[in-house]
Amino acid sequence: MLDKALFLFSKFGYSDVSMKDIANEVGIKAPSIYKHFKSKEEIFDTILNNAIISLDEKIHDAEDYKIIRDGKKSLNIEKLAIDIFSYLLNDSYVSRVRKMISIEMYKNPQAMKFYVDRFIETPMRKQEEIINYYGLSKYGSLKVISTIFYSPILFAIKLHDANPEKEEELLELLKDTYKKLEYIL
């Protein structure tokens, strides 16, 4: 049921989908939904909570991006960036949540809060932790370096949403961007 609701929310937006629409998509009568969920808002909250778990689990181990450069531990920022970009685009659940939130964020304060928290602030804090772990803070403020790292990913996601056929072109742009950033960091 959650998957069908998310499908509808990511296509039409939370506000424009009714419990009846969800029931029709699932193939049940609308009152049957209430055996599982008290309201459409509870469905929405459950979807968001599942997305939080998925997002938090994705990049939990900085060791996956460890490289040795000039005898010192460093960070493979190109691999990390491509992994984040690919995950946000290609994980079917997270991608649909991202699309749902993009549709809904200007109508629903909870959606805007979720977008800012889970697609901007939490990843930025995680990047700050990773950057600090690898000693890259010597190049400047953790927040500034994290912003420099994460902004191209968000930019590429929005460009992809506008034109999904450009995924390969955007991947190449990100690879080139992060190869250049590795020389700076």
Side-chain angles (χ1 to χ4, degrees):
M1 184 176 315
L2 287 175
D3 196 54
K4 300 287 187 178
L6 178 55
F7 168 77
L8 292 172
F9 294 161
S10 68
K11 189 171 181 180
F12 303 109
Y14 169 80
S15 300
D16 293 336
V17 173
S18 69
M19 291 293 264
K20 184 178 179 184
D21 295 330
I22 296 168
N24 288 340
E25 186 70 23
V26 174
I28 61 175
K29 294 183 188 267
S32 297
I33 291 177
Y34 294 101
K35 292 178 183 175
H36 305 279
F37 297 97
K38 295 176 190 170
S39 65
K40 185 173 83 164
E41 184 176 348
E42 185 179 348
I43 294 171
F44 184 72
D45 291 343
T46 302
I47 289 169
L48 294 184
N49 287 332
N50 290 345
I52 288 168
I53 292 166
S54 181
L55 288 165
D56 287 347
E57 288 176 350
K58 176 55 186 161
I59 299 178
H60 63 280
D61 190 2
E63 290 296 316
D64 292 344
Y65 304 98
K66 179 182 175 182
I67 57 174
I68 303 298
R69 184 182 298 140
D70 300 327
K72 296 179 184 171
K73 67 181 178 181
S74 191
L75 179 65
N76 185 339
I77 62 171
E78 179 185 342
K79 180 180 181 340
L80 178 60
I82 298 304
D83 283 357
I84 293 169
F85 176 73
S86 297
Y87 177 69
L88 292 173
L89 285 186
N90 299 318
D91 181 272
S92 64
Y93 192 83
V94 171
S95 178
R96 286 182 288 152
V97 168
R98 188 178 50 75
K99 289 175 184 175
M100 173 187 72
I101 295 298
S102 292
I103 292 168
E104 199 61 29
M105 62 195 273
Y106 298 102
K107 300 177 193 177
N108 179 332
Q110 181 185 1
M112 178 63 85
K113 183 181 179 318
F114 181 86
Y115 179 81
V116 170
D117 180 54
R118 289 298 159 168
F119 288 101
I120 298 174
E121 290 176 353
T122 298
M124 293 284 288
R125 279 191 304 274
K126 182 63 178 172
Q127 297 316 312
E128 288 176 23
E129 289 172 19
I130 292 171
I131 289 163
N132 191 48
Y133 174 82
Y134 283 103
L136 300 175
S137 59
K138 66 185 175 191
Y139 296 106
S141 155
L142 289 174
K143 191 169 285 304
V144 170
I145 295 170
S146 179
T147 300
I148 291 168
F149 170 80
Y150 196 57
S151 296
I153 297 167
L154 289 178
F155 179 70
I157 292 287
K158 291 301 180 186
L159 286 175
H160 177 273
D161 287 348
N163 190 350
E165 294 80 33
K166 292 195 172 213
E167 184 172 345
E168 288 303 315
E169 182 180 327
L170 293 167
L171 276 168
E172 289 306 312
L173 176 63
L174 286 174
K175 287 177 184 177
D176 289 346
T177 299
Y178 290 103
K179 281 179 187 168
K180 301 239 182 327
L181 281 176
E182 281 188 357
Y183 287 109
I184 296 169
L185 302 177

